[in-house]
Amino acid sequence: MLTREDNDVLTQVGPGTPMGNFLRQYWIPSTVPSHLLPTPDSPPIRVRLLGENLIAFRTTSGQPGLVANACPHRGASMFFGRNEEEGLRCVYHGWKFDVEGNCVDMPSEPPESNFKSKVRIQAYPCKEVNGLIWTYMGPRETPPPMPDLECVTAPEEMCVAPQFVFYDCNWMQSLEGDIDSSHIDYLHSRLTREEVPQDLVGGGTFGGFSQPGYEAPRLLAYPMDYGIVYAGQRKWNEQGDYWYRVTQFCMPFYTMVASGGPTVGCQAWIPLDDDHTVQISFRVQLKEPVDAVKRAPSDPYARIGGYLPPTSDPLTRWRSPARADNDYMIDYDIQKTVMFSGIPREGKLQDMAVMESMGHVYDRTDEHLGRLDTMIIAVRRALIAAAKERQAGVTHATVDQPQLYRVRPVEIMLKEGENWFEATEEHRNADSGVRLLNFVTGGYV
């Protein structure tokens, strides 16, 4: 349970808020994939990020830019601007700005005027990396380094196209679902061991809670320089084998959940504002380049109708056809016989349904946390502490030490009494040279 003050610190991300100031220290995945700005001088698009209304555009030379929505002259939207010759020109009076925010032309003023040298539009530095535009919204004149996440440092040919999911709720509600190991035994589980159509359940696993002798998992969390690492420990059999599912949380909004296959995954939970979030899923292949299909943008809702058609409003992008007003397509017959939730699995719909059902910003003064909420408690405390320390002038280690992000999630089977933290140390280090463990075969990927 949090105090109301701490709940506000945790969830409010606008300019000037403690968490907003903390998040703005970092390079942020802007939720703008490269294909939304397909060509030089292509039409600008609206962006909502950390409570700010912005405009993204691509210059004549191909450079991405991100500027305030409002022209500094009289506030007209730059969305209607003419994208031409290395800058965006407001259609109201012709004032033109480059990607650094400089006013490079002011035709409505006399030729001898130097007024344009005194006017700037808010502009944020941008970098385009592996199919996604990143931005720095902080106060430094020289931005800090980008994080050494594998989705940033890997060659482009090894990277799957980022995938996007919109959540109609606060960023912490969304993120907390990814660091909650115990819910997979319920929300994402089947009620039967029998084979069922893949398009029905999306390849989920049989719920452990239905197995004879099932024991609830233990959650074991360790604070790290980069954030928190934890293991969900589950008893696998009566022979003393234990399944450890090791998940990473990296400041300020990255999670890494263990998964099979020769890939490393990472999720970014990007606050558009206090009430809306976009989850960006990154995947890097480790053994061979990504084929053309995986390099193309994908739609996680293809089976159930695809993304809802967006407008120019950034809050309409990446939305699911299963949503609150159709009860997330829940099927109560399937719930009784096949799936614990009865909600389709596409695009994390099961998580979305429960997260959004809490309202836009859940009042954490009303909750009752238990033993299995260890990781959620640890991450909240770490974020709140970091935001308050930032207000006092303290910079978190991850801002200037990008190498701290060289970590991975792990799944492993260990014997009773083995120390999971020590046994997985090399596997959690992206630069150790140790290959990923394959949980299914027990060997290496």
Side-chain angles (χ1 to χ4, degrees), residues 46-48 53 166 272 278 311-318:
R46 292 185 171 107
V47 176
R48 180 82 168 155
N53 292 320
F166 179 93
L272 305 190
V278 166
T311 68
S312 63
D313 182 346
L315 299 185
T316 66
R317 291 188 199 119
W318 327 121

Side-chain angles (χ1 to χ4, degrees), residues 310-372:
T311 68
S312 63
D313 182 346
L315 299 185
T316 66
R317 291 188 199 119
W318 327 121
R319 280 187 175 263
S320 164
R323 53 199 185 276
D325 62 8
N326 62 12
D327 301 315
Y328 302 91
M329 297 183 178
I330 189 170
D331 187 320
Y332 285 106
D333 290 331
I334 289 176
Q335 186 189 73
K336 288 179 181 296
T337 59
V338 180
M339 299 170 62
F340 188 80
S341 71
I343 299 168
R345 293 200 60 178
E346 281 81 2
K348 293 204 168 184
L349 287 178
Q350 294 167 354
D351 300 271
M352 184 183 299
V354 296
M355 293 166 186
E356 293 184 356
S357 73
M358 302 174 191
H360 278 128
V361 182
Y362 181 60
D363 182 359
R364 291 172 176 79
T365 65
D366 287 338
E367 67 187 359
H368 299 80
L369 301 183
R371 176 174 60 86
L372 292 178

